[in-house]
PDB file of all heavy atoms in Angstrom:
ATOM      1  N   PRO A 161       6.860 -18.297  -5.959  1.00 85.00           N
ATOM      2  CA  PRO A 161       7.542 -17.032  -6.291  1.00 85.00           C
ATOM      3  C   PRO A 161       6.762 -16.276  -7.365  1.00 85.00           C
ATOM      4  O   PRO A 161       6.606 -16.754  -8.489  1.00 85.00           O
ATOM      5  CB  PRO A 161       8.915 -17.491  -6.804  1.00 85.00           C
ATOM      6  CG  PRO A 161       8.722 -18.915  -7.215  1.00 85.00           C
ATOM      7  CD  PRO A 161       7.651 -19.477  -6.356  1.00 85.00           C
ATOM      8  N   ALA A 162       6.254 -15.131  -6.982  1.00 83.00           N
ATOM      9  CA  ALA A 162       5.457 -14.316  -7.889  1.00 83.00           C
ATOM     10  C   ALA A 162       5.989 -12.893  -7.893  1.00 83.00           C
ATOM     11  O   ALA A 162       6.626 -12.443  -6.933  1.00 83.00           O
ATOM     12  CB  ALA A 162       3.981 -14.332  -7.490  1.00 83.00           C
ATOM     13  N   ALA A 163       5.703 -12.170  -8.978  1.00 83.00           N
ATOM     14  CA  ALA A 163       6.231 -10.809  -9.131  1.00 83.00           C
ATOM     15  C   ALA A 163       5.729  -9.881  -8.035  1.00 83.00           C
ATOM     16  O   ALA A 163       6.455  -8.974  -7.593  1.00 83.00           O
ATOM     17  CB  ALA A 163       5.855 -10.263 -10.507  1.00 83.00           C
ATOM     18  N   GLU A 164       4.493 -10.104  -7.568  1.00 82.00           N
ATOM     19  CA  GLU A 164       3.969  -9.211  -6.525  1.00 82.00           C
ATOM     20  C   GLU A 164       4.625  -9.446  -5.172  1.00 82.00           C
ATOM     21  O   GLU A 164       4.456  -8.630  -4.253  1.00 82.00           O
ATOM     22  CB  GLU A 164       2.448  -9.392  -6.385  1.00 82.00           C
ATOM     23  CG  GLU A 164       1.998 -10.808  -6.086  1.00 82.00           C
ATOM     24  CD  GLU A 164       1.695 -11.589  -7.355  1.00 82.00           C
ATOM     25  OE1 GLU A 164       2.141 -11.139  -8.435  1.00 82.00           O
ATOM     26  OE2 GLU A 164       1.009 -12.610  -7.259  1.00 82.00           O
ATOM     27  N   ASN A 165       5.374 -10.530  -5.027  1.00 82.00           N
ATOM     28  CA  ASN A 165       6.079 -10.809  -3.766  1.00 82.00           C
ATOM     29  C   ASN A 165       7.486 -10.228  -3.730  1.00 82.00           C
ATOM     30  O   ASN A 165       8.170 -10.352  -2.716  1.00 82.00           O
ATOM     31  CB  ASN A 165       6.144 -12.316  -3.524  1.00 82.00           C
ATOM     32  CG  ASN A 165       4.772 -12.929  -3.302  1.00 82.00           C
ATOM     33  OD1 ASN A 165       3.851 -12.260  -2.841  1.00 82.00           O
ATOM     34  ND2 ASN A 165       4.616 -14.197  -3.649  1.00 82.00           N
ATOM     35  N   VAL A 166       7.922  -9.647  -4.831  1.00 85.00           N
ATOM     36  CA  VAL A 166       9.244  -9.014  -4.858  1.00 85.00           C
ATOM     37  C   VAL A 166       9.198  -7.741  -4.018  1.00 85.00           C
ATOM     38  O   VAL A 166       8.301  -6.908  -4.174  1.00 85.00           O
ATOM     39  CB  VAL A 166       9.674  -8.688  -6.299  1.00 85.00           C
ATOM     40  CG1 VAL A 166      10.995  -7.943  -6.304  1.00 85.00           C
ATOM     41  CG2 VAL A 166       9.770  -9.966  -7.117  1.00 85.00           C
ATOM     42  N   MET A 167      10.140  -7.597  -3.121  1.00 84.00           N
ATOM     43  CA  MET A 167      10.160  -6.427  -2.254  1.00 84.00           C
ATOM     44  C   MET A 167      11.543  -5.806  -2.229  1.00 84.00           C
ATOM     45  O   MET A 167      12.545  -6.475  -2.504  1.00 84.00           O
ATOM     46  CB  MET A 167       9.715  -6.794  -0.834  1.00 84.00           C
ATOM     47  CG  MET A 167      10.470  -7.932  -0.206  1.00 84.00           C
ATOM     48  SD  MET A 167       9.739  -8.388   1.385  1.00 84.00           S
ATOM     49  CE  MET A 167      10.733  -9.831   1.781  1.00 84.00           C
ATOM     50  N   ARG A 168      11.546  -4.558  -1.891  1.00 78.00           N
ATOM     51  CA  ARG A 168      12.802  -3.821  -1.806  1.00 78.00           C
ATOM     52  C   ARG A 168      13.553  -4.244  -0.556  1.00 78.00           C
ATOM     53  O   ARG A 168      12.976  -4.339   0.529  1.00 78.00           O
ATOM     54  CB  ARG A 168      12.521  -2.321  -1.763  1.00 78.00           C
ATOM     55  CG  ARG A 168      13.760  -1.445  -1.863  1.00 78.00           C
ATOM     56  CD  ARG A 168      14.057  -1.086  -3.280  1.00 78.00           C
ATOM     57  NE  ARG A 168      15.222  -0.229  -3.412  1.00 78.00           N
ATOM     58  CZ  ARG A 168      15.530   0.421  -4.513  1.00 78.00           C
ATOM     59  NH1 ARG A 168      14.762   0.308  -5.580  1.00 78.00           N
ATOM     60  NH2 ARG A 168      16.599   1.176  -4.584  1.00 78.00           N
ATOM     61  N   ASN A 169      14.816  -4.497  -0.726  1.00 69.00           N
ATOM     62  CA  ASN A 169      15.650  -4.895   0.405  1.00 69.00           C
ATOM     63  C   ASN A 169      15.987  -3.657   1.234  1.00 69.00           C
ATOM     64  O   ASN A 169      16.584  -2.709   0.726  1.00 69.00           O
ATOM     65  CB  ASN A 169      16.926  -5.569  -0.098  1.00 69.00           C
ATOM     66  CG  ASN A 169      17.672  -6.282   1.017  1.00 69.00           C
ATOM     67  OD1 ASN A 169      17.426  -6.039   2.179  1.00 69.00           O
ATOM     68  ND2 ASN A 169      18.563  -7.171   0.634  1.00 69.00           N
ATOM     69  N   ASN A 170      15.579  -3.659   2.502  1.00 69.00           N
ATOM     70  CA  ASN A 170      15.825  -2.494   3.365  1.00 69.00           C
ATOM     71  C   ASN A 170      17.127  -2.597   4.134  1.00 69.00           C
ATOM     72  O   ASN A 170      17.329  -1.895   5.114  1.00 69.00           O
ATOM     73  CB  ASN A 170      14.665  -2.321   4.350  1.00 69.00           C
ATOM     74  CG  ASN A 170      14.438  -3.556   5.208  1.00 69.00           C
ATOM     75  OD1 ASN A 170      15.136  -4.554   5.052  1.00 69.00           O
ATOM     76  ND2 ASN A 170      13.472  -3.499   6.093  1.00 69.00           N
ATOM     77  N   ARG A 171      18.034  -3.469   3.712  1.00 72.00           N
ATOM     78  CA  ARG A 171      19.301  -3.626   4.419  1.00 72.00           C
ATOM     79  C   ARG A 171      20.145  -2.362   4.334  1.00 72.00           C
ATOM     80  O   ARG A 171      20.824  -1.990   5.287  1.00 72.00           O
ATOM     81  CB  ARG A 171      20.075  -4.817   3.854  1.00 72.00           C
ATOM     82  CG  ARG A 171      21.394  -5.079   4.564  1.00 72.00           C
ATOM     83  CD  ARG A 171      22.162  -6.209   3.902  1.00 72.00           C
ATOM     84  NE  ARG A 171      21.392  -7.432   3.892  1.00 72.00           N
ATOM     85  CZ  ARG A 171      21.823  -8.560   3.325  1.00 72.00           C
ATOM     86  NH1 ARG A 171      22.997  -8.578   2.710  1.00 72.00           N
ATOM     87  NH2 ARG A 171      21.090  -9.642   3.365  1.00 72.00           N
ATOM     88  N   ILE A 172      20.109  -1.691   3.164  1.00 74.00           N
ATOM     89  CA  ILE A 172      20.927  -0.489   2.998  1.00 74.00           C
ATOM     90  C   ILE A 172      20.470   0.604   3.958  1.00 74.00           C
ATOM     91  O   ILE A 172      21.284   1.274   4.606  1.00 74.00           O
ATOM     92  CB  ILE A 172      20.858  -0.015   1.540  1.00 74.00           C
ATOM     93  CG1 ILE A 172      21.476  -1.067   0.611  1.00 74.00           C
ATOM     94  CG2 ILE A 172      21.559   1.321   1.372  1.00 74.00           C
ATOM     95  CD1 ILE A 172      21.397  -0.714  -0.845  1.00 74.00           C
ATOM     96  N   LEU A 173      19.151   0.799   4.066  1.00 78.00           N
ATOM     97  CA  LEU A 173      18.638   1.806   4.994  1.00 78.00           C
ATOM     98  C   LEU A 173      18.991   1.457   6.426  1.00 78.00           C
ATOM     99  O   LEU A 173      19.340   2.341   7.225  1.00 78.00           O
ATOM    100  CB  LEU A 173      17.120   1.927   4.833  1.00 78.00           C
ATOM    101  CG  LEU A 173      16.409   2.937   5.743  1.00 78.00           C
ATOM    102  CD1 LEU A 173      16.949   4.335   5.513  1.00 78.00           C
ATOM    103  CD2 LEU A 173      14.897   2.895   5.516  1.00 78.00           C
ATOM    104  N   ALA A 174      18.935   0.186   6.760  1.00 80.00           N
ATOM    105  CA  ALA A 174      19.296  -0.237   8.118  1.00 80.00           C
ATOM    106  C   ALA A 174      20.774   0.032   8.406  1.00 80.00           C
ATOM    107  O   ALA A 174      21.133   0.442   9.514  1.00 80.00           O
ATOM    108  CB  ALA A 174      18.984  -1.722   8.299  1.00 80.00           C
ATOM    109  N   ILE A 175      21.635  -0.183   7.400  1.00 82.00           N
ATOM    110  CA  ILE A 175      23.063   0.078   7.583  1.00 82.00           C
ATOM    111  C   ILE A 175      23.308   1.566   7.817  1.00 82.00           C
ATOM    112  O   ILE A 175      24.094   1.963   8.686  1.00 82.00           O
ATOM    113  CB  ILE A 175      23.852  -0.426   6.363  1.00 82.00           C
ATOM    114  CG1 ILE A 175      23.817  -1.962   6.307  1.00 82.00           C
ATOM    115  CG2 ILE A 175      25.299   0.056   6.405  1.00 82.00           C
ATOM    116  CD1 ILE A 175      24.456  -2.531   5.065  1.00 82.00           C
ATOM    117  N   ILE A 176      22.623   2.427   7.044  1.00 84.00           N
ATOM    118  CA  ILE A 176      22.807   3.870   7.194  1.00 84.00           C
ATOM    119  C   ILE A 176      22.318   4.338   8.571  1.00 84.00           C
ATOM    120  O   ILE A 176      22.991   5.131   9.249  1.00 84.00           O
ATOM    121  CB  ILE A 176      22.080   4.616   6.069  1.00 84.00           C
ATOM    122  CG1 ILE A 176      22.712   4.273   4.712  1.00 84.00           C
ATOM    123  CG2 ILE A 176      22.120   6.122   6.295  1.00 84.00           C
ATOM    124  CD1 ILE A 176      21.991   4.881   3.532  1.00 84.00           C
ATOM    125  N   LEU A 177      21.152   3.854   8.994  1.00 88.00           N
ATOM    126  CA  LEU A 177      20.627   4.245  10.302  1.00 88.00           C
ATOM    127  C   LEU A 177      21.537   3.738  11.431  1.00 88.00           C
ATOM    128  O   LEU A 177      21.764   4.446  12.421  1.00 88.00           O
ATOM    129  CB  LEU A 177      19.213   3.691  10.480  1.00 88.00           C
ATOM    130  CG  LEU A 177      18.140   4.307   9.575  1.00 88.00           C
ATOM    131  CD1 LEU A 177      16.793   3.646   9.822  1.00 88.00           C
ATOM    132  CD2 LEU A 177      18.037   5.816   9.790  1.00 88.00           C
ATOM    133  N   ALA A 178      22.061   2.525  11.267  1.00 88.00           N
ATOM    134  CA  ALA A 178      22.973   1.994  12.282  1.00 88.00           C
ATOM    135  C   ALA A 178      24.255   2.818  12.343  1.00 88.00           C
ATOM    136  O   ALA A 178      24.791   3.075  13.436  1.00 88.00           O
ATOM    137  CB  ALA A 178      23.291   0.528  11.982  1.00 88.00           C
ATOM    138  N   ALA A 179      24.763   3.236  11.175  1.00 88.00           N
ATOM    139  CA  ALA A 179      25.973   4.066  11.151  1.00 88.00           C
ATOM    140  C   ALA A 179      25.718   5.426  11.796  1.00 88.00           C
ATOM    141  O   ALA A 179      26.565   5.955  12.521  1.00 88.00           O
ATOM    142  CB  ALA A 179      26.455   4.235   9.715  1.00 88.00           C
ATOM    143  N   LEU A 180      24.540   6.004  11.548  1.00 89.00           N
ATOM    144  CA  LEU A 180      24.189   7.286  12.160  1.00 89.00           C
ATOM    145  C   LEU A 180      24.116   7.159  13.675  1.00 89.00           C
ATOM    146  O   LEU A 180      24.663   7.999  14.411  1.00 89.00           O
ATOM    147  CB  LEU A 180      22.859   7.773  11.595  1.00 89.00           C
ATOM    148  CG  LEU A 180      22.264   9.046  12.233  1.00 89.00           C
ATOM    149  CD1 LEU A 180      23.200  10.221  12.034  1.00 89.00           C
ATOM    150  CD2 LEU A 180      20.896   9.355  11.642  1.00 89.00           C
ATOM    151  N   LEU A 181      23.451   6.116  14.144  1.00 91.00           N
ATOM    152  CA  LEU A 181      23.322   5.914  15.591  1.00 91.00           C
ATOM    153  C   LEU A 181      24.680   5.640  16.224  1.00 91.00           C
ATOM    154  O   LEU A 181      25.010   6.186  17.288  1.00 91.00           O
ATOM    155  CB  LEU A 181      22.367   4.753  15.859  1.00 91.00           C
ATOM    156  CG  LEU A 181      22.063   4.435  17.331  1.00 91.00           C
ATOM    157  CD1 LEU A 181      21.441   5.643  18.012  1.00 91.00           C
ATOM    158  CD2 LEU A 181      21.154   3.229  17.446  1.00 91.00           C
ATOM    159  N   ALA A 182      25.486   4.811  15.566  1.00 89.00           N
ATOM    160  CA  ALA A 182      26.820   4.523  16.097  1.00 89.00           C
ATOM    161  C   ALA A 182      27.688   5.773  16.119  1.00 89.00           C
ATOM    162  O   ALA A 182      28.469   5.984  17.062  1.00 89.00           O
ATOM    163  CB  ALA A 182      27.478   3.429  15.263  1.00 89.00           C
ATOM    164  N   GLY A 183      27.569   6.619  15.086  1.00 87.00           N
ATOM    165  CA  GLY A 183      28.337   7.862  15.052  1.00 87.00           C
ATOM    166  C   GLY A 183      27.975   8.790  16.203  1.00 87.00           C
ATOM    167  O   GLY A 183      28.862   9.393  16.823  1.00 87.00           O
ATOM    168  N   LEU A 184      26.681   8.898  16.494  1.00 89.00           N
ATOM    169  CA  LEU A 184      26.255   9.757  17.603  1.00 89.00           C
ATOM    170  C   LEU A 184      26.765   9.222  18.939  1.00 89.00           C
ATOM    171  O   LEU A 184      27.301   9.976  19.766  1.00 89.00           O
ATOM    172  CB  LEU A 184      24.727   9.857  17.620  1.00 89.00           C
ATOM    173  CG  LEU A 184      24.091  10.724  16.539  1.00 89.00           C
ATOM    174  CD1 LEU A 184      22.581  10.603  16.579  1.00 89.00           C
ATOM    175  CD2 LEU A 184      24.500  12.184  16.696  1.00 89.00           C
ATOM    176  N   ILE A 185      26.609   7.916  19.141  1.00 90.00           N
ATOM    177  CA  ILE A 185      27.021   7.329  20.417  1.00 90.00           C
ATOM    178  C   ILE A 185      28.530   7.447  20.613  1.00 90.00           C
ATOM    179  O   ILE A 185      29.015   7.860  21.683  1.00 90.00           O
ATOM    180  CB  ILE A 185      26.571   5.863  20.500  1.00 90.00           C
ATOM    181  CG1 ILE A 185      25.029   5.784  20.525  1.00 90.00           C
ATOM    182  CG2 ILE A 185      27.150   5.183  21.730  1.00 90.00           C
ATOM    183  CD1 ILE A 185      24.497   4.383  20.491  1.00 90.00           C
ATOM    184  N   LEU A 186      29.307   7.094  19.581  1.00 89.00           N
ATOM    185  CA  LEU A 186      30.764   7.128  19.711  1.00 89.00           C
ATOM    186  C   LEU A 186      31.292   8.551  19.857  1.00 89.00           C
ATOM    187  O   LEU A 186      32.210   8.804  20.652  1.00 89.00           O
ATOM    188  CB  LEU A 186      31.406   6.448  18.498  1.00 89.00           C
ATOM    189  CG  LEU A 186      31.176   4.938  18.375  1.00 89.00           C
ATOM    190  CD1 LEU A 186      31.802   4.415  17.097  1.00 89.00           C
ATOM    191  CD2 LEU A 186      31.744   4.211  19.589  1.00 89.00           C
ATOM    192  N   SER A 187      30.727   9.486  19.089  1.00 87.00           N
ATOM    193  CA  SER A 187      31.220  10.859  19.158  1.00 87.00           C
ATOM    194  C   SER A 187      30.893  11.509  20.499  1.00 87.00           C
ATOM    195  O   SER A 187      31.730  12.212  21.076  1.00 87.00           O
ATOM    196  CB  SER A 187      30.642  11.686  18.006  1.00 87.00           C
ATOM    197  OG  SER A 187      29.217  11.688  18.057  1.00 87.00           O
ATOM    198  N   VAL A 188      29.696  11.269  21.012  1.00 87.00           N
ATOM    199  CA  VAL A 188      29.345  11.829  22.328  1.00 87.00           C
ATOM    200  C   VAL A 188      30.190  11.184  23.421  1.00 87.00           C
ATOM    201  O   VAL A 188      30.668  11.865  24.344  1.00 87.00           O
ATOM    202  CB  VAL A 188      27.843  11.627  22.603  1.00 87.00           C
ATOM    203  CG1 VAL A 188      27.506  11.999  24.046  1.00 87.00           C
ATOM    204  CG2 VAL A 188      27.011  12.476  21.652  1.00 87.00           C
ATOM    205  N   SER A 189      30.418   9.874  23.314  1.00 87.00           N
ATOM    206  CA  SER A 189      31.274   9.196  24.295  1.00 87.00           C
ATOM    207  C   SER A 189      32.694   9.747  24.247  1.00 87.00           C
ATOM    208  O   SER A 189      33.333   9.945  25.291  1.00 87.00           O
ATOM    209  CB  SER A 189      31.287   7.691  24.029  1.00 87.00           C
ATOM    210  OG  SER A 189      29.977   7.152  24.111  1.00 87.00           O
ATOM    211  N   LEU A 190      33.203  10.003  23.039  1.00 86.00           N
ATOM    212  CA  LEU A 190      34.545  10.572  22.906  1.00 86.00           C
ATOM    213  C   LEU A 190      34.605  11.981  23.482  1.00 86.00           C
ATOM    214  O   LEU A 190      35.597  12.361  24.120  1.00 86.00           O
ATOM    215  CB  LEU A 190      34.951  10.584  21.431  1.00 86.00           C
ATOM    216  CG  LEU A 190      36.346  11.115  21.108  1.00 86.00           C
ATOM    217  CD1 LEU A 190      37.407  10.286  21.806  1.00 86.00           C
ATOM    218  CD2 LEU A 190      36.584  11.120  19.596  1.00 86.00           C
ATOM    219  N   ALA A 191      33.544  12.757  23.278  1.00 82.00           N
ATOM    220  CA  ALA A 191      33.515  14.115  23.832  1.00 82.00           C
ATOM    221  C   ALA A 191      33.532  14.079  25.356  1.00 82.00           C
ATOM    222  O   ALA A 191      34.239  14.865  26.004  1.00 82.00           O
ATOM    223  CB  ALA A 191      32.269  14.843  23.332  1.00 82.00           C
TER     224      ALA A 191
END
Side-chain angles (χ1 to χ4, degrees):
E164 57 268 17
N165 295 333
V166 176
M167 54 186 175
R168 188 91 179 193
N169 193 344
N170 57 359
R171 182 184 301 178
I172 296 177
L173 180 60
I175 292 174
I176 295 176
L177 292 178
L180 174 62
L181 183 60
L184 286 173
I185 294 175
L186 293 177
S187 59
V188 171
S189 301
L190 182 60

